[in-house]
Amino acid sequence: MDYPFKNNVPDPLLSGPELPTFKFALEKSTGKVQGGSFGKEATVEQLPISKGIAGVSMRLEPGVTRELHWHATAAEWAFVLEGRVRTTVFDPTGASEINDFEPGDAWYFPRGFPHALSCLGNEPCHFILIFDNGYFSEFGTFSVTDWMGHAPRPLLAKNFGLPESTFEGIPSSEIYFTSGRVPPEQAVPVRGGLASPPTSHRYRMMAQAPSATYSYGREWRVGVDEFPISTTMTGVVFDIDPGGLRELHWHPNADEWQYVIKGTFSVTMFGSHGRFRTEILEPGDVGFIPQGFGHSIENVGPEAGRILIGLNSGQYQAIDLAQWLASNPAYLLADHFGKPAELFETFPHRVFIGPPRTSP
Ligand code: MN
Ligand code: MN
């Protein structure tokens, strides 16, 4: 499923003489704060280029829950950075699932599926949410307290077959974060929705071996093939060694949303018509590359770096420059670049995360 505006052209923001910024310092923003809990978001408002994907950094204190809610216009893909999280989710078939998450675990809730996120245990938790629509705002969700707080009492009474007095004193508007007890370690049975969904909403991403290992880094990738419910999103984690480079490439079918977990990265973007832009992304910074735009990610810091990436398609597709060139005859490349054909025989066939350790 593509978001509605994905293939509209031309995009005025992307058709000017200069490429717009594609960086936003998410963790330096304020967002919505309640005690030690917060939600900070990057939507088209904060990062206008990011029309296809929005993101949120959320921290919950022990006993705090991001309240029961749903999204009318976006699916939610998440990656846990710190602490533990318990989610509840209910689906249109009547199945429900309660899952516990640790750092490196991912979840996916399809558009419109209602859910809640609770901090589990006595330590705070921190996670990144990625939504397959840049116009989606975490602060414009459909919340259970907002709904029931505004529905007429007689309507609620009739709906549940209970006296109107049942609903006296409930919140009159959205709570957003609820504060209460730390959830019991053993999830308690629920009264309805007892069937398990056919495909889980949880995927233990970093508990897997890397999907691939390269000369200067490792990749974990999870799309719909590994995580069947994640039909509209692919998640990627790159660990890139100092000096390592995710080579020049583009994605034919998806936008790319980036969040730096660790390290300092130089991210480039090529936008045709001679337009080329470089941004330096540090921990807590977000980047965005539109579908089809060329880009690269280089660790320019002294330490090993880690970057989280969300792509708004469940099917991963990429065209990598080295492999593309190697898939064309040397004489053709010679005519393009005004170099002898033999030179291109020395080019690597595949790089992905380089540079290659040994010259071919
Ligand atoms: Mn949500
Ligand atoms: Mn990419």
Side-chain angles (χ1 to χ4, degrees):
M1 280 201 309
D2 290 341
Y3 68 92
F5 311 109
K6 195 164 179 176
N7 294 311
N8 278 5
V9 288
D11 179 339
L13 190 68
L14 295 177
S15 54
E18 304 279 341
L19 293 173
T21 185
F22 58 88
K23 169 185 169 176
F24 175 64
L26 179 63
E27 296 293 1
K28 291 197 175 92
S29 69
T30 304
K32 185 179 286 220
V33 181
Q34 181 181 304
S37 302
F38 64 70
K40 302 172 179 181
E41 69 177 359
T43 72
V44 286
E45 191 165 321
Q46 292 81 14
L47 182 58
I49 194 175
S50 66
K51 295 182 179 184
I53 304 176
V56 165
S57 169
M58 187 168 285
R59 181 184 193 272
L60 301 177
E61 295 263 86
V64 172
T65 290
R66 170 70 181 95
E67 78 158 292
L68 290 162
H69 69 281
W70 75 97
H71 318 138
T73 58
E76 172 175 317
W77 190 96
F79 184 85
V80 178
L81 296 175
E82 289 170 26
R84 294 189 298 142
V85 187
R86 176 170 293 162
T87 65
T88 73
V89 57
F90 179 66
D91 81 18
T93 71
S96 67
E97 194 175 38
I98 298 176
N99 285 312
D100 293 350
F101 295 81
E102 295 182 4
D105 294 346
W107 69 73
Y108 179 88
F109 300 140
R111 184 177 298 195
F113 284 31
H115 52 277
L117 319 170
S118 302
C119 183
L120 186 59
N122 295 309
E123 301 293 328
C125 60
H126 183 200
F127 46 89
I128 300 299
L129 305 172
I130 308 178
F131 302 96
D132 58 359
N133 180 353
Y135 291 85
F136 169 78
S137 170
E138 168 64 12
F139 309 136
T141 58
F142 289 69
S143 296
V144 72
T145 54
D146 193 12
W147 197 14
M148 291 179 64
H150 288 92
R153 292 286 152 78
L155 182 61
L156 288 178
K158 185 168 184 174
N159 191 93
F160 292 104
L162 293 166
E164 280 185 42
S165 60
T166 307
F167 304 98
E168 279 168 14
I170 66 171
S172 57
S173 59
E174 180 184 41
I175 285 189
Y176 193 78
F177 289 135
T178 75
S179 291
R181 287 168 295 179
V182 171
E185 280 295 320
Q186 288 293 323
V188 295
V190 292
R191 293 173 301 115
L194 286 170
S196 295
T199 55
S200 178
H201 298 83
R202 183 183 80 147
Y203 185 79
R204 306 214 61 205
M205 184 171 180
M206 303 307 287
Q208 317 295 317
S211 317
T213 297
Y214 300 96
S215 59
Y216 275 79
R218 290 149 299 286
E219 178 192 27
W220 289 259
R221 186 195 302 163
V222 53
V224 68
D225 291 342
E226 299 81 16
F227 189 19
I229 200 160
S230 181
T231 54
T232 67
M233 296 285 292
T234 295
V236 174
V237 169
F238 287 134
D239 278 358
I240 303 182
D241 300 338
L245 170 68
R246 170 69 181 101
E247 72 162 305
L248 298 163
H249 69 284
W250 73 91
H251 304 287
N253 67 339
D255 302 311
E256 172 169 326
W257 190 91
Q258 306 160 336
Y259 175 91
V260 175
I261 297 173
K262 195 170 75 160
T264 303
F265 293 95
S266 172
V267 179
T268 72
M269 181 163 82
F270 167 62
S272 79
H273 300 289
R275 298 175 305 165
F276 196 93
R277 188 174 180 118
T278 303
E279 306 271 15
I280 301 296
L281 267 53
E282 295 186 313
D285 290 346
V286 162
F288 182 87
I289 308 292
Q291 175 179 329
F293 280 52
H295 56 286
S296 64
I297 302 171
E298 181 181 8
N299 182 348
V300 292
E303 314 278 352
R306 173 170 283 188
I307 186 165
L308 173 68
I309 289 170
L311 301 150
N312 53 359
S313 171
Q315 301 283 350
Y316 179 84
Q317 290 185 356
I319 304 293
D320 297 332
L321 179 59
Q323 200 177 19
W324 177 37
L325 293 185
S327 301
N328 277 281
Y331 68 81
L332 195 59
L333 300 175
D335 288 349
H336 275 73
F337 296 104
K339 294 285 185 183
E342 299 71 44
L343 177 69
F344 296 98
E345 304 296 345
T346 67
F347 275 45
H349 295 175
R350 182 113 176 93
V351 175
F352 200 84
I353 297 174
R357 289 279 185 192
T358 52
S359 302

